[in-house]
Amino acid sequence: MTPFETLAIYSVIILAISLLGGSLPLVYSWSSKQLHLFTGLSAGFFIAAAFLILIPESVSLMDPHDALATVMVGLIAVLLIERVILTHHHNHEHGHGDEHDGDEECEHVHALTSTAAFLGLAVHGTMDGFALGVAAILEPEVGALLFTAIIAHKGIEVMALATTFRLAEIPVRRSMGLVTAFSLLVPAAAFAALPLIDLMESLEVGFPLALAAGTFLYVGICDLLPEAFHLEKRGYRAFLMVVLGIAIMWVVSLVAGHPH
């Protein structure tokens, strides 16, 4: 089997797992309380992915100080975009004093959360795809390990993303379209990397991974955690869902590993 055929098989499997994970929050009519608890699970995934996968990877691929500084830049950039630029634009368009301001503001926050989640995961997915494409051609054994790592967490990532779409009340058909587009990112990036293999070897791939880590931290802590506890009186169940999400991602990181 040629490396191209192997990469094609990898791409089909990654796409199938991504679509399966993304469809779970969309095919069933979850209650608001269930969705918010589901958000706690997603928050755990995002936070653990940043600390257990993205930050260690970026630190190993570039100067540790620069890597952590880039993580901070990623977090601050999303903070600026979400809480200053987009919020100001929303307030300017809709004005103040409407009796439905509370509901509109809640929906607006959910929309910002889903947008930030999509952007952060898109960066991560693109880098996964580039790495897989290069490894499958140059180092087939490393490519197989990287493929295992990707499929171990990709379904979880897309499920978390789809949950933010549900909270933002994005129609199911449009949400599924976004999930499909996102699921195609890894295969597309993998094949796009093939004619650029010489260039890819010289790039500092830790930089976008560190930026994605900052995005993940912001989305997980600033957006998803407040949503998870929004409808909870004491917060026990939401807390357990967050811990469960972290535990699942921790096990995934141990089992799959992340080869450099």
Side-chain angles (χ1 to χ4, degrees), residues 7-8 21 23 25 28 36 67 69 96 177 183 188 201 213 220 223-225 240 242 252:
L7 187 58
S23 64
Y28 180 74
H36 280 81
H96 304 280
S183 300
E201 289 182 306
D223 286 336
L224 297 180
L225 279 184
L240 290 176
V242 173
V252 166

Side-chain angles (χ1 to χ4, degrees), residues 154-175:
K154 187 55 62 178
I156 294 173
E157 284 183 352
V158 187
M159 182 177 68
L161 179 63
T163 300
T164 67
F165 292 160
R166 284 299 304 270
L167 281 174
E169 298 185 0
I170 298 174
V172 173
R173 180 174 296 183
R174 183 184 174 194
S175 295

Side-chain angles (χ1 to χ4, degrees), residues 60-76:
S60 70
L61 292 169
M62 58 190 296
D63 178 77
H65 182 272
D66 292 343
L68 294 178
T70 305
V71 173
M72 182 175 62
V73 169
L75 189 151
I76 293 174

Side-chain angles (χ1 to χ4, degrees), residues 46-255:
F46 273 77
I47 294 169
F51 281 115
L52 300 178
I53 299 174
L54 294 175
I55 292 178
E57 282 291 299
S58 62
V59 167
S60 70
L61 292 169
M62 58 190 296
D63 178 77
H65 182 272
D66 292 343
L68 294 178
T70 305
V71 173
M72 182 175 62
V73 169
L75 189 151
I76 293 174
V78 179
L79 174 65
L80 173 64
I81 293 170
E82 181 177 305
R83 300 296 179 179
V84 179
I85 297 176
L86 294 180
T87 299
H88 174 75
H89 176 70
H90 171 78
N91 291 337
H92 178 72
E93 280 192 344
H94 295 277
H96 304 280
D98 195 307
E99 62 180 353
H100 300 294
D101 275 354
D103 292 338
E104 287 184 359
E105 183 63 25
C106 186
E107 182 180 346
H108 175 59
V109 170
H110 290 160
L112 292 177
T113 298
S114 65
T115 301
F118 186 91
L119 292 176
L121 285 170
V123 172
H124 181 211
T126 300
M127 293 311 302
D128 277 348
F130 279 142
L132 180 63
V134 173
I137 300 300
L138 299 180
E139 297 287 345
E141 292 183 0
V142 176
L145 290 174
L146 184 57
F147 164 70
T148 303
I150 290 173
I151 62 173
H153 71 267
K154 187 55 62 178
I156 294 173
E157 284 183 352
V158 187
M159 182 177 68
L161 179 63
T163 300
T164 67
F165 292 160
R166 284 299 304 270
L167 281 174
E169 298 185 0
I170 298 174
V172 173
R173 180 174 296 183
R174 183 184 174 194
S175 295
M176 203 62 217
L178 291 171
V179 165
T180 302
F182 176 80
S183 300
L184 288 168
L185 271 179
V186 172
F191 282 99
L194 299 186
L196 304 172
I197 285 180
D198 292 338
L199 176 62
M200 289 298 299
E201 289 182 306
S202 65
L203 289 179
E204 185 65 85
V205 295
F207 180 76
L209 290 177
L211 282 178
T215 302
F216 275 41
L217 286 176
Y218 182 89
V219 172
I221 296 173
C222 299
D223 286 336
L224 297 180
L225 279 184
E227 284 298 328
F229 288 86
H230 179 57
L231 298 180
E232 292 290 299
K233 293 183 178 179
R234 296 187 177 179
Y236 295 137
R237 291 183 301 177
F239 175 78
L240 290 176
M241 292 298 285
V242 173
V243 172
L244 177 61
I246 292 174
I248 291 174
M249 191 60 76
W250 178 68
V251 171
V252 166
S253 68
L254 289 179
V255 172

